[in-house]
């Protein structure tokens, strides 16, 4: 019973198109992601099969119709590697890719509790040989190089030989491309990979332009440990008998990636060594243990809605699967499930995905944050190129360089600097891990603060000198290149304040002449507010525009970006997402409930939710302002977004940030979690549709279990960490770090 | 003496680089433009030779790093045709392109008074054969198809045969490309032309993508009339004797262009017929007559500055040369002298070039305006694509479709609609040609007015509903995508008012339900003004920005657009050109002298003049506000811009709009010409450096000669047209159309 809630079956999902299923059932461990393609290869290609590696990309020049100084120079595009799931079956001399067989899917499910995919197929060949093929596969969380499959054959109606062939060379050459280049949200390039043997057991794939190389090998096991075979082609021969069950194991392993010139013989040897002596059974036990550990902390249990329960777990599982875990990669907008958005990392990580990790898997959060420090040199170069001091993080990137070819909705989103600062800060406050901030975070915070001082301007507003940030685009991409985007300014203020806090705490000599100016700018930052309507203004000119003619806009014209020229969209009061509300969500102590409700009503009326990041913000603020129907309704609109293929583009990959948003809607919304100046608060905002909500948070090393029902709220420390004080009343629990 | 002021010699010009000279000495008649390449072909290519035809372009898709709805789809690029000047000389079996000869330029000048280029070369072959080759050439203003050359040989030191060969096929294949694609101001494409025989005497060239075809033929004459020969290769054999002078005539003729599928046998025959029976001498006489007629009306004589006098005539002559004359072509930003800006037509025509034609060559003005009516269907399609009513003219185009690949400084410059309306209106007021407006102009004016009503918005400003135009870019491209660009709004108001005037005058049924709204919008249009400083605001947010840090900007960082990212430039108070001042120039009756001076001082302090269109506006307003030193100084900064190669890019073509600007600086500035509600006024604003200024204007069919000296101003009707009343006092002449 408990278990079945963790099994994602075909009957749980929105449709049965191959590309869609490939995405949904992708196995990933943050290093490698394997789309769940049809495993048995036929004479034709089904779907859009392939494998992705986090951070493995190719690069080529961006062509501009009209070039200007400072434009991003190169595309970076995640590379589709061979479909390592694909096998050719040979049954008594007949090959699956050369004749017409009847293949029936008997079972197909993702066991999210154990972190593996289970499949079985009933096969009848042209010569009426029948058998059942069962496949168990997983990407190992313990050894991120490894994708392991176990092929079992049973129920054969004959005695004879079955050969399972995995030909990675062939599969590579067959890689196809199914993208629509007229939609800016999908990728638009492809790389020809160069394959080469490094020794008899290790081969490599090298990208055309970026010269990134990954080593790979293929190992088989029939008895005992895994044995390296030819990395390009492996064959396992199985002698079957009716009523017997015989199995073969295949493992494909991908190394980390290198610049090709740095792959020495030693590198190859080390890779080989690391893989020696493994067995499938050990890998499987480790896998189950690690996934179990994940659920122990990160699971959310709700009562009263079985499909939703499974959908949430699906979201949590995918969130867990695709995160980079070694400090040099991050979280692609589509995870490692597809090539949408070219595999780029955005602010999505910091603002929609990291809270989940910070509060439940802080070790992964730390690795994701470390990535920003890793690319800090690139961000400093970019700031310089833009004529600014400090660092400016790329709006979209893999290698740290700006890859946005449309700067008004790319580079101009300088808020990403402050988003990153906010995430470091949240990490510190929740985990208490100040050592990491001192060693890694502070430099990022200082450099981003420096950027604000450089990019911003002191301008007289309402009779006094205020610190303004002109010429930016906020998260709402339906408004671009404005002055004083509220969200940006509010976040920059926070960035500056945090920088001052760290500078004072650590007495860093490098910033001692600067931080007084940071403080001055932070305290005098201009936050646009309309005194007449008492509303927060999205930016200086937002209320000077006409409201979008919603009543004259047919339904099929949404999302607007695919039906109207940007300059037309920009001249209206219309939001893809309401970034002013996001600011109110992030700084709850700064806004009265009345203020939030006033802003909520207005921004709701002009927001199209054309961004998948929009609804969770509306859900959370509705919950927090005691509008439970809206809180629930906005939540439900997107909680099952990918399972129901709401936007029809899951084929290009999951909406990772939206999955993070579903966690936020529940925990920041229904459970009212908020981080205030010196405490973390949980409140009961449960909508009546959800009877009970159980979840755990890790706060300062303490694992705390929360239980919320319509009537009560409780917390229990499951594992102790640093000293904390928990106080509770009927609907509020307050957690404070206690001076130890 | 008189004549020498019309001869442009090598000693008059800035440098001797071949590409620069090719541009400066280009011969053109508005249909064909022939760069003044080295005529005698050697074994290597010198410079960037070639021929351009107005409106003859190729087209290919614009590639965007990131696409969005409504983006311009195709580049249009003027096509470089073979260098029809090029000849190979064969002297006693020795060919100029196959051995090293000594060739000395003995004479080289543009006879601007007769419209022809005169050259002579002293040649010594490897075998010490010597002779002098004299070339006279012109592009015929009478027959726009024709480029005629007369080759005369004299002073030979031998008796024998000289062959002059013109091989257009060979020259076509050799066409080269000398553009720097990192500079957005130059072209970036090339087209492979397809050459084909249409009959034994007519060949054709067809572009690769746009499938435009031009017919061409080559004719020779040694005695009597011109004889068609092989269009690809012609040879003239000349038997020379020492002390004899022998000549050969070569004419290359280019037809209008057609869509290839529409070139029938009849088309070919018609073209051939049109050229039959011509002689070089007749063509030459007609040429001299027509150019003489031009100068009779359009010349400007100044006293006290010989080099300037010649430079001005150079500008006027080039203005005259490149204008389209048949209603289906316009005026390329570089005339027909080079491929800069891809041969596109911009607002430059209406605002900087047309005044010269309207006031002195109204027939040509009419043709240029007719072009806008010709492409009106494309402008209506574009408006529709942008979700708007009416017509939106392309910011840059040849065929009428938008070809701007960077919309913030392209499509967003919707002011072009009102610029076109302004030019039609000026044409009508100055010429009195209402019939043209009724038949051709009115439709353009109505459709552009419709666009404003559709694109603009009624918004509450300063307590009342005002008509606003948000999300536009004004002529100042250092500020983009703003609300209520002053210039745009002022011009749109004028567009709307003129539409109302025509609608009432002609009682057009098609607009009877609309023009009341046009009037309402025009009267309530919002014109941003800063009450505190009493300055016209360039747009809603201009004064909310920081002033560009001029003192920290090194000289080599200008023009800013080549050294700073657009979003950085946009966030400052800094102008490429001051468009608010342009509005004050165009509507002199609406601004007090004090207002203009106040705005002038301010905008001057933030303007870089990185646009070649900037300085003439500052010159004119300075003259009009009695700042003669500035008026003269800004004028002189650009009057000789191309002759001195001030910006170093004359190789890509002349700066046609700047040449128009030099006319404006003199006539609108020094002579204070302004068009007011119902009269035209000339005032004496002569700077002391210029002792006398003589020019003529055509007003309502009257040819009026003006004479301005430091002490007096006078006008004389040279030819009578419609009844006018001229009144004069010591410094002002007023001309009013009198009801006839």
């Amino acid at each position: 019973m408990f278990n079945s809630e963790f099994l994602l079956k075909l009957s749980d999902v929105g449709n049965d198109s191959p590309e869609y299923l490939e995405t949904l059932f992708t196995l990933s461990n943050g290093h490698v992601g394997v789309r769940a393609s049809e495993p048995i290869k036929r004479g034709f290609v089904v779907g859009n099969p392939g494998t992705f590696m986090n951070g493995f990309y190719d690069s080529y020049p961006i062509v501009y119709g009209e070039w200007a100084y400072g434009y991003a120079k190169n595309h970076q595009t995640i590379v589709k590697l061979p479909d390592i799931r694909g096998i050719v079956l040979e049954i008594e001399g007949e090959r699956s890719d050369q004749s017409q067989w009847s293949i029936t899917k008997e079972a197909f499910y993702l066991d999210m509790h154990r972190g593996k995919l289970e499949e079985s197929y009933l096969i009848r060949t042209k010569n009426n040989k029948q058998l059942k093929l069962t496949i168990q596969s997983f990407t190992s969380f313990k050894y991120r190089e490894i994708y392991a499959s176990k092929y079992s054959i049973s129920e054969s109606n004959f005695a004879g030989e079955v050969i399972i062939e995995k030909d990675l060379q062939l599969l590579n050459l067959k890689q196809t491309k199914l993208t629509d280049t007229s939609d800016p949200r999908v990728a638009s390039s492809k790389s020809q990979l160069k394959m080469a043997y490094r020794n008899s057991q290790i081969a490599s794939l090298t990208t055309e332009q970026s010269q990134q190389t990954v080593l790979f090998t293929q190992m088989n096991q029939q008895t005992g440990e895994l044995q390296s075979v030819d990395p390009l082609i492996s064959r396992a021969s199985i002698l079957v008998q009716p009523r017997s069950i015989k199995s073969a194991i295949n493992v494909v392993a991908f190394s980390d990636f290198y610049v090709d010139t740095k792959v020495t013989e030693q590198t190859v040897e080390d890779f080989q060594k690391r893989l020696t002596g493994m067995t499938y059974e050990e890998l499987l036990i480790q896998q189950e243990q690690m996934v179990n550990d994940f659920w122990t902390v990160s699971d959310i249990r709700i009562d009263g809605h079985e499909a939703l329960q499974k959908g949430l777990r699906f979201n949590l599982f995918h969130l867990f699967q695709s995160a980079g875990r070694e400090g040099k990669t991050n979280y692609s907008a589509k995870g490692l499930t597809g090539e949408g958005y070219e595999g780029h990392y955005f602010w999505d990580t910091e603002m929609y995905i990291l809270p989940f990790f910070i509060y439940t898997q802080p070790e992964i959060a730390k690795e994701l944050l470390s990535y920003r420090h890793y690319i800090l040199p690139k961000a400093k170069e970019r700031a310089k190129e833009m004529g600014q001091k400090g660092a400016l993080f790329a709006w979209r990137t893999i290698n740290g360089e700006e890859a946005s070819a449309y700067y008004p909705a790319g580079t101009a989103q300088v808020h990403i600097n402050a988003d990153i600062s906010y995430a470091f800060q949240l990490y510190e406050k929740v985990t208490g891990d100040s050592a990491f901030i001192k060693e890694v975070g502070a430099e990022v915070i200082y450099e981003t603060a420096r950027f604000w001082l450089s990019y911003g301007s002191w301008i007289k507003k309402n009779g006094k000198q205020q610190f303004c940030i002109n010429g930016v685009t906020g998260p709402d991409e339906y408004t671009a290149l404005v002055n004083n985007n509220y969200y940006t300014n509010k976040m920059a203020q926070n960035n500056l304040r945090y920088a001052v806090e760290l500078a004072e705490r650590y007495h860093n000599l490098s910033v001692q002449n600067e931080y007084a100016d940071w403080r001055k700018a932070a305290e005098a930052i201009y936050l646009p507010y309309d005194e007449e309507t008492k509303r927060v203004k999205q930016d200086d000119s937002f209320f000077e525009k006409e409201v979008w003619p919603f009543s004259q806009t047919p339904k099929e014209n949404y999302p607007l970006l695919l039906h109207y020229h940007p300059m037309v969209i920009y001249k209206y009061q219309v939001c893809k997402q309401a970034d002013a509300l996001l600011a109110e969500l992030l700084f709850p102590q700064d806004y009265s409930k009345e203020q939030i409700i006033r802003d909520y009503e207005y921004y709701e009326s002009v927001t199209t939710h054309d961004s998948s990041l929009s609804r969770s913000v509306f859900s959370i603020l509705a919950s927090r302002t005691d509008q439970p129907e809206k809180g629930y309704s906005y939540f439900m609109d997107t909680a099952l977004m990918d399972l129901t293929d709401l936007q029809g583009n899951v084929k290009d990959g999951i909406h990772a940030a939206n999955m993070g948003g579903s966690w936020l809607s529940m925990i920041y919304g229904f459970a009212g979690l908020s981080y205030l100046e010196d405490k973390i608060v949980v409140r009961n905002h449960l909508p009546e549709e959800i009877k009970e909500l159980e979840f755990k948070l890790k706060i300062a090393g303490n694992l705390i279990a929360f239980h919320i029902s319509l009537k009560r709220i409780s917390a229990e420390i499951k594992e102790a960490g640093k000293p904390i004080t928990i106080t509770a009343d009927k609907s509020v629990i307050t957690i404070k770090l206690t001076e130890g």
Side-chain angles (χ1 to χ4, degrees), chain A:
Chain A
M1 157 69 199
F2 169 79
N3 216 340
S4 81
E5 288 170 6
F6 284 93
L7 302 186
L8 185 75
K9 300 177 186 165
L10 291 176
S11 55
D12 297 320
V13 309
N15 65 63
D16 59 0
S17 90
E19 295 86 354
Y20 168 71
L21 296 178
E22 283 171 1
T23 297
L24 278 197
F25 290 87
T26 292
L27 289 171
S28 176
N29 58 12
H31 177 61
V32 62
V34 185
R35 283 172 68 84
S37 58
E38 291 290 334
I40 305 166
K41 294 297 149 194
R42 320 291 291 263
F44 45 90
V45 174
V46 178
N48 187 16
T51 304
F52 297 100
M53 277 182 62
N54 202 349
F56 193 64
Y57 69 94
D58 207 355
S59 174
Y60 56 98
I62 303 175
V63 176
Y64 293 97
E66 195 174 325
W67 177 89
Y69 177 89
Y71 273 16
K73 291 178 186 64
N74 296 302
H75 286 289
Q76 298 155 40
T77 304
I78 196 165
V79 167
K80 199 160 65 168
L81 295 159
D83 174 22
I84 58 176
R85 267 172 65 80
I87 52 169
V88 169
L89 277 188
E90 189 178 323
I91 300 177
E92 291 275 285
E94 252 189 87
R95 283 175 64 94
S96 65
D97 59 347
Q98 287 172 4
S99 61
Q100 291 205 330
W101 291 3
S102 154
I103 301 181
T104 312
K105 205 175 265 182
E106 195 205 45
F108 190 86
Y109 62 90
L110 189 62
D111 180 346
M112 299 187 288
H113 200 266
R114 296 194 174 81
K116 59 191 183 182
L117 186 65
E118 303 276 1
E119 308 157 74
S120 63
Y121 301 88
L122 297 175
I123 296 166
R124 194 176 66 238
T125 72
K126 228 180 156 188
N127 298 332
N128 275 315
K129 299 279 182 291
Q130 290 182 35
L131 57 75
K132 175 169 162 179
L133 173 70
T134 303
I135 310 174
Q136 183 182 68
S137 58
F138 60 91
T139 47
S140 168
F141 287 107
K142 175 83 177 174
Y143 296 98
R144 63 171 178 270
E145 297 91 338
I146 286 193
Y147 169 70
S149 318
K150 179 177 181 178
Y151 302 93
S152 303
I153 292 174
S154 59
E155 302 176 21
S156 68
N157 68 351
F158 66 101
E161 190 185 27
V162 174
I163 293 171
I164 299 173
E165 179 187 291
K166 196 166 269 187
D167 180 345
L168 297 186
Q169 186 157 36
L170 183 73
L171 297 166
N172 179 47
L173 298 176
K174 272 195 189 158
Q175 71 169 300
T176 53
K177 188 75 199 158
L178 292 172
T179 52
D180 168 8
T181 53
S182 72
D183 184 339
R185 299 168 302 176
V186 299
S188 56
S189 76
K190 75 181 188 190
S191 174
Q192 286 303 320
L193 291 168
K194 203 176 73 192
M195 207 177 296
Y197 280 92
R198 295 291 174 156
N199 62 35
S200 63
Q201 287 151 8
I202 310 254
S204 66
L205 286 167
T206 302
T207 57
E208 213 169 359
Q209 301 298 325
S210 63
Q211 293 290 303
Q212 275 191 313
T213 290
V214 60
L215 303 176
F216 70 99
T217 188
Q218 208 176 165
M219 297 174 286
N220 284 354
Q221 181 193 51
Q222 273 168 299
T223 56
E225 68 179 45
L226 293 158
Q227 302 289 335
S228 284
V229 292
D230 185 309
L232 298 186
I233 307 180
S234 79
R235 281 196 191 83
S237 164
I238 302 181
L239 296 173
V240 299
Q241 297 284 347
R243 281 178 310 279
S244 77
I245 302 180
K246 290 277 185 72
S247 298
I249 306 294
N250 175 273
V251 163
V252 181
F254 284 104
S255 75
D256 285 350
F257 44 86
Y258 309 91
V259 176
D260 191 33
T261 52
K262 294 196 177 156
V263 181
T264 60
E265 275 181 38
Q266 189 60 44
T267 319
V268 176
E269 263 176 46
D270 290 349
F271 176 56
Q272 204 151 4
K273 237 178 255 167
R274 200 170 138 79
L275 302 169
T276 308
M278 289 183 180
T279 71
Y280 181 81
E281 295 310 322
E282 278 166 19
L283 287 169
L284 187 62
I285 289 165
Q286 288 155 348
Q287 179 76 352
E288 295 185 0
Q289 183 58 49
M290 286 190 73
V291 180
N292 189 64
D293 289 351
F294 164 71
W295 288 115
T296 301
V297 179
S298 297
D299 190 25
I300 295 180
R301 210 186 58 76
I302 57 171
D303 201 25
H305 200 317
E306 204 176 321
L308 178 61
Q309 172 70 71
K310 192 179 284 187
L312 293 177
R313 284 185 173 141
F314 169 78
N315 291 350
L316 298 174
F317 185 67
H318 264 297
L319 278 173
F320 181 58
Q321 279 206 123
S322 291
R325 284 161 163 82
E326 32 54 74
K328 296 184 178 181
T329 57
N330 203 267
Y331 210 112
S332 298
K334 302 290 185 183
L336 296 173
T337 67
E339 56 207 313
Y341 288 115
E342 310 192 65
H344 290 173
Y345 314 136
F346 294 80
W347 74 310
D348 304 33
T349 304
E350 278 73 17
M351 302 319 289
Y352 288 84
I353 295 173
L354 263 171
F356 164 72
F357 287 106
I358 289 173
Y359 278 107
T360 77
Q361 301 285 333
E363 304 73 22
I364 294 178
K366 192 170 172 174
E367 296 301 328
L368 292 169
L369 287 166
S370 294
Y371 165 81
R372 293 300 186 184
H373 183 260
Y374 173 67
I375 64 166
L376 185 61
K378 298 283 187 190
K380 288 167 77 174
E381 278 169 34
R382 180 63 176 158
K384 203 174 168 193
E385 191 173 39
M386 296 294 289
Q388 309 301 319
K389 293 184 181 128
L392 175 58
F393 281 93
W395 174 245
R396 50 190 299 172
T397 190
I398 295 174
N399 69 6
E401 289 166 15
E402 180 63 88
S404 166
Y406 177 62
Y407 78 83
T411 300
Q413 293 200 50
V414 291
H415 64 83
I416 192 171
N417 261 15
D419 302 336
I420 290 168
S421 164
Y422 186 95
F424 271 103
Q425 186 181 22
L426 184 67
Y427 172 83
E428 185 187 22
K429 301 298 176 189
V430 173
T431 64
D433 181 6
S434 294
F436 175 69
I437 298 303
K438 187 177 180 186
E439 284 154 31
V440 173
E443 196 185 350
V444 175
I445 310 309
Y446 296 154
E447 293 293 353
T448 48
R450 243 171 219 147
F451 173 83
W452 295 119
L453 258 280
S454 165
Y455 197 77
S457 304
W458 286 95
I459 289 169
K460 204 170 170 185
K461 291 264 192 188
N462 309 328
K464 58 181 176 190
Q465 286 299 113
Q466 302 202 45
F467 192 71
C468 293
I469 304 172
N470 285 344
V472 305
T473 300
D476 168 31
E477 295 177 344
Y478 282 177
T479 310
L481 296 180
V482 295
N483 299 331
N484 296 305
N485 169 258
Y486 186 93
Y487 173 86
T488 305
N489 287 18
K490 184 81 182 168
M491 291 291 284
Q493 178 183 49
N494 187 65
N495 188 348
L496 289 163
R497 284 180 175 162
Y498 189 41
V500 171
E501 181 189 329
L502 297 182
E504 289 184 332
R505 193 200 297 167
Y506 298 124
H507 307 293
N508 286 96
L509 290 177
S510 64
V511 298
Q512 66 180 359
N513 297 325
E514 292 173 83
Y515 76 84
D517 287 342
W518 298 348
R519 191 200 314 267
K520 213 175 120 205
E523 297 324 311
I525 208 149
Y526 176 66
L527 297 170
Y529 187 77
D530 188 55
E531 289 296 343
E532 199 183 323
T533 58
K534 302 280 178 213
R535 286 180 200 143
V536 161
K537 275 205 285 192
Q538 181 165 312
D539 59 67
D540 276 3
S541 65
F542 198 74
F543 291 168
E544 305 286 314
K545 300 175 182 180
E546 194 180 347
V547 173
W548 181 269
F550 291 101
S551 64
Q552 294 148 52
T553 308
K555 266 190 178 175
E556 60 270 24
N557 281 10
Y558 295 90
L560 301 180
L561 68 100
L562 295 184
H563 300 90
Y564 299 91
H565 191 289
M567 64 178 269
V568 172
I569 296 175
Y570 295 166
K571 78 188 185 76
Y572 287 98
Q573 288 182 48
V574 59
C575 299
K576 195 174 173 196
Q577 63 191 106
D579 52 36
L581 294 185
L582 179 54
E584 299 187 353
L585 182 162
L586 295 173
F587 301 98
Q589 70 275 24
D590 295 348
Y591 304 92
S592 68
K593 186 174 165 186
E594 294 67 35
Q595 182 65 51
I596 297 173
I597 289 178
R598 208 156 46 228
D599 292 329
Y600 190 100
E601 280 176 1
Y602 163 70
Y603 283 104
E604 189 180 31
S605 75
V606 296
T607 300
T608 63
H609 308 294
D610 286 349
S611 163
S612 65
L613 308 181
S614 179
R615 285 187 175 86
S616 56
V617 174
F618 279 90
S619 172
I620 294 162
L621 285 184
S623 295
R624 288 189 183 172
T625 53
D626 301 315
Q627 306 176 69
E629 301 81 4
K630 285 197 171 177
Y632 182 72
S633 156
Y634 276 116
F635 166 70
M636 286 304 290
D637 280 350
T638 61
L640 305 176
M641 181 188 271
D642 287 354
L643 269 189
T644 56
D645 204 8
L646 188 67
Q647 302 198 336
N649 61 355
V650 169
K651 65 181 175 55
D652 301 318
I654 56 164
H655 296 83
N658 183 67
M659 290 173 166
S662 80
W663 184 89
L664 291 170
S665 297
M666 285 186 291
I667 308 301
Y668 279 27
F670 302 159
L673 175 66
S674 53
Y675 141 67
L676 303 174
E677 192 59 36
D678 60 347
K679 56 184 183 282
I680 289 165
V681 172
V682 173
R683 283 174 210 272
N684 189 348
H685 292 299
L686 215 57
E688 60 184 21
E689 290 84 355
I690 294 178
K691 306 297 173 214
E692 284 182 72
L693 175 65
E694 286 182 297
F695 61 97
K696 299 196 190 77
L697 300 177
K698 265 197 173 167
I699 295 175
N702 301 272
L703 182 63
I704 309 172
F706 295 86
H707 184 279
I708 305 181
S709 63
L710 290 179
K711 291 186 187 145
R712 60 186 289 278
I713 176 168
S714 70
E716 184 190 343
I717 300 185
K718 293 280 187 181
E719 287 171 22
K722 291 187 192 166
I724 51 173
T725 310
I726 302 189
T727 53
D729 69 15
K730 228 173 67 180
S731 64
V732 183
I733 290 172
T734 306
I735 300 152
K736 265 185 100 151
L737 264 162
T738 317
E739 289 304 320

